[in-house]
Amino acid sequence: MNYNNIHNVYFIGIGGIGMSALARYFKANNKQVMGYDKTKTEITDGLENLGVKVHFNDSIDNIPTRFLDIESTLVVYTPAIPKAHQELNYFIDNGYKVLKRSVVLGEITKHTFCLAVAGTHGKTTTTSILGHLLNECGVEVTAFLGGISENYNSNLILNGTKVTVVEADEFDRSFLTLSPDLACITSMDADHLDIYGEAEALKDSFVDFSKKLKPNGKLFVKNGLPLKGITYGIEDNSDYSVKNIKIIDGTYVFDVKTPSTTLDNFKFNLPGRHNLSNALIALAMAVEYGCPPKQLAKALASYKGVKRRFSYSIKTENLVLIDDYAHHPQEINAVHQAVREMYPNQKVMAVFQPHLFSRTRDFADEFAEALSQFDEVLLLDIYPARELPIEGVTSNWLLGKMKHDHKKLVEKPEIISEIKKSNAQVILMIGAGDIGEEVKHVKEALSVAS
């Protein structure tokens, strides 16, 4: 597609994290941008502040005439949009250029040097570290992030168009639209079984993704995954490995062994071995791209994280409130490891909102086991996202599977009073639904109380 002929870009589902990054990209490239979303959020507010009009009522009447010009308008949609959506069907039925987000991203990256981050966990953090490293090393880079970077307060890093950094999303196989020069796979745990059916089909799609590399491209894989590539791992015999780990004042200090040398004295401020692994693969890809190690060390030390990825809302001696997007048992395990490493002698309460009925059903036993590691657990109802309820799959059913004396099913309005009843010093609020919206209320209430 020739984007020079496109003057208007209309987004259906513009408030999504990946969609809004594309909207920002096109706006920065002087296109007229607007769109629809179901609900008003901080993301849509941010877009409106940039001059991107957003409406929340599905109707063709809300679309200005210039965006109905079939020759100069591109329509971008997300697969999360229902099939009966009036605006989407109008554009499809009338022969407009209508493309999925992943296809548009694939087109943008095709003519750049592309670094792609794939895997069922760690994509957003790894992508944002990698984008930050390249940007700080002066690379002309555009990075499309699946979360809001704390360093840039945005899901887009825009510093030129020679290089792109993207999340390669396995959901509905959308990463198969990419053609990366350097790619990594962080993990291949079963997920999205509502789409894939079997875990084996998910693994096959990662194999297909590994074949999408451009000629002479390089693939990096977490040590232990059943794919050939440049390996990375923590304190092991990988091609790239973290060595000599120390924790000094809550910061990781470590060395990196590369295939040819050892790079000394890196500092990284995010807790958890999973985050250390994300930092390592971002460093490895940046090294292979050609960034100087000294600049990389300085850049990594200045990395602040992604909102809702082990984000501190309160951090005092007596009370810690952490907000995290974890929505898969392995991610909950990773958060648990991080919190125990940072706060080994503290009582920890987890407030968890399951995400999707299908995911809760597919991993109920693993969720129960992961949650039972915390000292206290408050469980919210399942956040449905794109799904209709599944009979018998409820938070109460999940609660029954947990071997735990201090567990409770709660409604959102009860969260604050339940937390106040507890003497836990560390409170974790975890999940990929709208639990993030509750964090600010909890923060306010606990700040006032203390």
Side-chain angles (χ1 to χ4, degrees):
M1 172 173 291
N2 184 354
Y3 284 115
N4 295 331
N5 301 336
I6 298 292
H7 303 299
N8 315 303
V9 190
Y10 187 81
F11 287 84
I12 301 177
I14 197 166
I17 198 77
M19 290 281 276
S20 59
L22 268 184
R24 283 171 178 269
Y25 171 82
F26 281 116
K27 179 73 179 167
N29 282 285
N30 301 314
K31 308 292 184 190
Q32 293 293 318
V33 179
M34 76 169 292
Y36 157 88
D37 208 90
K38 190 169 61 171
T39 42
K40 192 174 170 66
T41 61
E42 282 181 18
I43 290 176
T44 59
D45 289 348
L47 289 171
E48 297 204 81
N49 290 340
L50 288 175
V52 174
K53 281 207 165 71
V54 183
H55 62 264
F56 305 95
N57 180 27
D58 174 19
S59 167
I60 302 303
D61 297 342
N62 290 323
I63 305 172
T65 310
R66 70 169 301 150
F67 284 87
L68 297 173
D69 175 24
I70 198 164
E71 295 306 318
S72 63
T73 300
L74 168 66
V75 180
V76 186
Y77 74 101
T78 166
I81 288 292
K83 293 205 166 32
H85 197 273
Q86 291 175 46
E87 294 178 15
L88 180 58
N89 285 310
Y90 173 85
F91 287 120
I92 292 170
D93 294 345
N94 288 284
Y96 284 77
K97 290 180 277 290
V98 181
L99 297 177
K100 263 164 64 170
R101 179 190 73 90
S102 55
V103 175
V104 177
L105 197 56
E107 284 295 320
I108 291 169
T109 59
K110 206 173 276 179
H111 310 293
T112 68
F113 189 96
C114 175
L115 297 91
V117 177
T120 41
H121 322 296
K123 283 189 296 292
T124 298
T125 301
T126 304
T127 308
S128 73
I129 299 170
L130 182 55
H132 177 65
L133 294 179
L134 296 180
N135 188 52
E136 288 291 296
C137 289
V139 176
E140 292 177 44
V141 64
T142 297
F144 295 93
L145 313 178
I148 305 296
S149 158
E150 299 277 13
N151 287 81
Y152 305 92
N153 196 30
S154 176
N155 50 353
L156 183 72
I157 301 172
L158 199 53
N159 184 33
T161 53
K162 280 188 183 169
V163 175
T164 46
V165 175
V166 296
E167 275 190 41
D169 192 358
E170 75 282 357
F171 174 72
D172 84 344
R173 299 177 173 81
S174 62
F175 59 178
L176 300 181
T177 60
L178 300 171
S179 339
D181 295 270
L182 300 178
C184 74
I185 298 176
T186 65
S187 46
M188 289 163 47
D189 291 311
D191 198 7
H192 305 302
L193 299 185
D194 54 323
I195 302 291
Y196 284 95
E198 296 294 327
E200 221 39 57
L202 177 69
K203 284 182 181 157
D204 290 344
S205 75
F206 279 105
V207 173
D208 293 341
F209 170 70
S210 71
K211 294 173 183 167
K212 289 286 176 182
L213 284 167
K214 287 181 190 145
N216 304 318
K218 290 178 183 174
L219 179 69
F220 300 76
V221 294
K222 180 83 175 277
N223 200 350
L225 292 180
L227 285 169
K228 281 195 166 51
I230 300 166
T231 56
Y232 73 97
I234 292 179
E235 293 180 321
D236 62 9
N237 60 351
S238 301
D239 299 316
Y240 281 85
S241 179
V242 169
K243 302 287 186 190
N244 307 322
I245 302 167
K246 298 186 278 292
I247 296 176
I248 300 171
D249 297 331
T251 294
Y252 283 118
V253 180
F254 59 96
D255 302 332
V256 175
K257 178 188 80 70
T258 78
S260 57
T261 184
T262 297
L263 309 173
D264 298 335
N265 209 27
F266 282 87
K267 290 183 178 154
F268 184 59
N269 293 310
L270 263 60
R273 292 291 174 111
H274 63 300
N275 280 323
L276 198 52
S277 178
N278 295 335
L280 172 64
I281 181 52
L283 283 168
M285 291 173 84
V287 166
E288 292 281 342
Y289 177 75
C291 293
K294 277 210 167 113
Q295 269 182 276
L296 284 175
K298 190 179 171 194
L300 188 68
S302 70
Y303 176 76
K304 293 178 187 167
V306 178
K307 285 184 180 164
R308 300 219 61 229
R309 304 304 194 279
F310 214 93
S311 299
Y312 285 100
S313 291
I314 298 174
K315 191 179 186 183
T316 65
E317 272 188 34
N318 305 320
L319 183 67
V320 174
L321 175 65
I322 294 163
D323 179 23
D324 196 276
Y325 187 74
H327 56 283
H328 184 283
Q330 292 299 341
E331 293 166 354
I332 294 171
N333 286 335
V335 168
H336 178 261
Q337 182 276 324
V339 84
R340 295 297 188 197
E341 187 174 54
M342 289 297 154
Y343 303 100
N345 305 313
Q346 310 279 49
K347 189 172 182 183
V348 183
M349 171 192 270
V351 185
F352 178 58
Q353 181 189 47
H355 184 262
L356 297 180
F357 295 102
S358 59
R359 188 184 281 123
T360 307
R361 175 199 63 200
D362 294 339
F363 303 105
D365 293 337
E366 292 89 340
F367 274 122
E369 195 178 328
L371 290 166
S372 295
Q373 299 172 98
F374 297 100
D375 301 306
E376 294 181 43
V377 181
L378 300 180
L379 200 56
L380 293 166
D381 283 332
I382 297 168
Y383 184 78
R386 55 186 180 269
E387 292 185 336
L388 294 169
I390 296 171
E391 194 176 340
V393 179
T394 64
S395 285
N396 198 39
W397 170 69
L398 176 58
L399 194 78
K401 287 180 170 285
M402 286 172 55
K403 296 180 176 67
H404 207 292
D405 294 333
H406 302 284
K407 59 182 183 178
K408 189 171 185 182
L409 194 63
V410 297
E411 301 286 330
K412 282 184 203 155
E414 302 171 302
I415 294 172
I416 291 167
S417 60
E418 288 297 330
I419 289 173
K420 283 182 175 175
K421 284 180 199 170
S422 168
N423 61 354
Q425 300 103 321
V426 181
I427 315 291
L428 281 169
M429 297 188 66
I430 46 184
D434 57 5
I435 188 171
E437 297 297 308
E438 299 301 313
V439 175
K440 49 194 172 208
H441 306 308
V442 173
K443 177 184 178 177
E444 204 173 285
L446 295 182
S447 299
V448 169
S450 62

